[in-house]
Amino acid sequence: MTTDSRMGIRLAQLHLYVDIHLHDRYLAPPLAVVVAALLTNWVPVMWAVLWAVVELLIIANYIRVYRAFKRSDVQPRDERRWARRIALAHGAHMLAWSSLVFWAWHPDSFPSLVFIMLVHMGLIALTTSMSNAHMRLLSLDMIFPVLALLGPPLVDPSWFNIGLSLLGGGFSALMIQVGRQINAYSTEALDLRQRNEILIQELESQASRDSLTGIVNRRYFLATAGKHLQAAHQHGNPLALMIIDLDHFKQVNDQYGHLGGDEVLVAVVDACVGHLRTGDCFGRLGGEEFALLLPDSSLPEALETAERLRQATAALALTVQGNIVRPTISIGITLLQAGDDSLSSLLHRADLAMYAAKMQGRNRVVCAEQCPPENTPDLLPALQPQP
């Protein structure tokens, strides 16, 4: 298991710990009130009230910390910092309950001893069952309850109290072992879930990505472009579409084989990707043909982007099987029009513009919106390649 994987699992365990302990907001306050009311049988009322008030404030504080954790976008590297913060907040809660053994027990009252030990062992049992999701926090949560077991023999070192503490210690050790075993099972389940999530992400990536170039494939591009088209119509935003085709690519394949052609395709895609914005969608339609969708792009912006891609490609000098290959691309551009109800009309216009670029000498950019009414491809004006 890698370090990143372990950090991810520990963060998942911390989330599980917090999710379980968030139930305290419903159970802990009434339990504190009931215990405080029963304590008035053996301690002054003001002591019991003061303990209840302090405990309720502590509960409110650690619930606040839990909620802050759940609201935050916690990364695996932040797990230790949050675990320490949670340990301090919940540790005060454990200290408040464990302190009952020392100040609320009356050695001359057997009912008092039974009540205090019942509360204390219940605290240990609940802690083991609720905190085992995160072993480090379980260990910290158990420190005060286990130390409090020393209270009876320290206050009254009789054989009965010593045996009672030993019995409580034995039960605590057993419950901790059970907690460790449950934690091991939950860790295994979290690891399996993490591996499954990674596998699903890889499968989704393979389903949406072109295996050779790494950009999105035809199916994903068409689906994404359709969504952008609908959004552009709804909000009245501009949208540009390009069809990009490598020039004389068949000659490259014929001379260097498909492996050589693949090298050229990858190099051209890499050169183009560096000039795109985060929201642009660049996909491979098939073979040497690509499409680029530019949301929120006007005609000047689309032309500028297309020219950058053309120049970046033309600047390549690739060594393929010992020979220098200088690829170029022809680009056809179209803009979203009011009557474009489907993506096919944009693709058709951009395709015509791309073929016009081919017919006019290749290595150039042609915009469909500059064409005459008859849409004759060979009359489409082109942006001449810059020297």
Side-chain angles (χ1 to χ4, degrees):
M1 191 185 302
T2 64
T3 300
D4 290 343
S5 177
R6 286 195 297 268
M7 292 173 64
I9 289 175
R10 284 199 295 267
L11 179 59
Q13 290 173 325
L14 186 58
H15 273 286
L16 183 57
Y17 174 97
V18 169
D19 290 341
I20 294 172
H21 278 271
L22 273 172
H23 293 292
D24 281 359
R25 67 186 184 274
Y26 303 117
L27 301 177
L31 282 175
V33 172
V34 170
V35 169
L38 292 172
L39 283 175
T40 58
N41 287 288
W42 302 286
V43 301
V45 173
M46 287 306 300
W47 290 17
V49 171
L50 179 61
W51 177 84
V53 170
V54 171
E55 170 59 14
L56 290 174
L57 290 174
I58 290 172
I59 293 170
N61 179 60
Y62 73 69
I63 293 298
R64 179 186 62 82
V65 173
Y66 291 161
R67 286 175 170 166
F69 170 76
K70 297 301 291 185
R71 287 195 303 268
S72 302
D73 182 22
V74 182
Q75 300 300 312
R77 63 179 179 276
D78 302 322
E79 185 269 339
R80 284 188 176 274
R81 177 171 60 84
W82 275 100
R84 286 194 296 268
R85 185 176 174 185
I86 290 169
L88 289 173
H90 195 255
H93 168 71
M94 302 304 295
L95 176 61
W97 281 85
S98 300
S99 68
L100 294 175
V101 176
F102 292 92
W103 66 268
W105 170 46
H106 280 221
D108 56 345
S109 171
F110 186 75
S112 171
L113 175 63
V114 172
F115 174 70
I116 293 300
M117 293 307 294
L118 177 65
V119 169
H120 195 66
M121 291 310 298
L123 175 66
I124 292 175
L126 284 172
T127 300
T128 305
S129 61
M130 296 178 69
S131 299
N132 62 64
H134 196 285
M135 279 307 300
R136 191 163 71 250
L137 287 179
L138 173 61
S139 301
L140 294 173
D141 285 346
M142 291 294 286
I143 289 176
F144 292 123
V146 171
L147 289 177
L149 289 172
L150 301 176
L154 288 177
V155 176
D156 182 12
S158 64
W159 285 111
F160 178 78
N161 289 338
I162 293 173
L164 197 63
S165 295
L166 291 175
L167 183 62
F171 277 127
S172 298
L174 179 60
M175 284 186 283
I176 290 174
Q177 285 299 112
V178 172
R180 288 174 61 88
Q181 192 63 46
I182 296 174
N183 178 265
Y185 290 141
S186 66
T187 300
E188 185 177 349
L190 288 171
D191 181 44
L192 181 60
R193 186 180 74 179
Q194 188 179 77
R195 292 175 185 272
N196 287 339
E197 289 174 352
I198 293 173
L199 180 60
I200 291 172
Q201 291 174 1
E202 290 177 350
L203 291 175
E204 289 177 347
S205 177
Q206 291 175 9
S208 63
R209 295 281 169 180
D210 176 58
S211 59
L212 175 63
T213 61
I215 60 175
V216 299
N217 58 26
R218 180 187 182 92
R219 182 183 62 83
Y220 186 88
F221 176 85
L222 294 177
T224 303
K227 294 176 183 177
H228 280 291
L229 177 69
Q230 184 179 6
H233 274 308
Q234 288 177 350
H235 303 290
N237 296 330
L239 184 74
L241 177 68
M242 298 183 196
I243 297 294
I244 304 168
D245 194 86
L246 270 72
D247 299 326
H248 303 297
F249 187 71
K250 184 177 183 303
Q251 296 178 12
V252 174
N253 272 337
D254 290 343
Q255 184 172 353
Y256 302 106
H258 288 291
L259 291 179
D262 289 348
E263 290 183 39
V264 175
L265 284 175
V266 171
V268 170
V269 168
D270 290 344
C272 291
V273 165
H275 296 277
L276 303 182
R277 304 170 303 177
T278 302
D280 297 338
C281 186
F282 188 31
R284 185 183 181 190
L285 298 183
E288 70 274 23
E289 189 175 51
F290 301 87
L292 174 60
L293 190 76
L294 301 173
D296 301 316
S297 288
S298 62
L299 178 58
E301 291 170 334
L303 290 172
E304 182 181 349
T305 299
E307 184 60 20
R308 285 201 305 268
L309 301 185
R310 188 197 66 77
Q311 291 182 14
T313 302
L316 293 174
L318 309 174
T319 303
V320 180
Q321 299 177 11
N323 296 316
I324 300 298
V325 176
R326 298 184 182 275
T328 61
I329 54 177
S330 297
I331 303 177
I333 304 177
T334 190
L335 296 179
L336 177 65
Q337 305 296 326
D340 291 327
D341 296 328
S342 66
L343 184 64
S344 60
S345 58
L346 275 82
L347 289 169
H348 178 66
R349 289 203 305 272
D351 210 37
L352 288 177
M354 184 272 293
Y355 278 112
K358 295 278 190 183
M359 296 173 67
Q360 296 180 27
R362 295 180 171 82
N363 188 24
R364 62 193 64 215
V365 178
V366 169
C367 179
E369 274 58 45
Q370 297 174 358
C371 64
E374 61 270 19
N375 284 335
T376 306
D378 59 348
L379 296 179
L380 292 174
L383 290 176
Q384 297 299 327
Q386 299 179 4

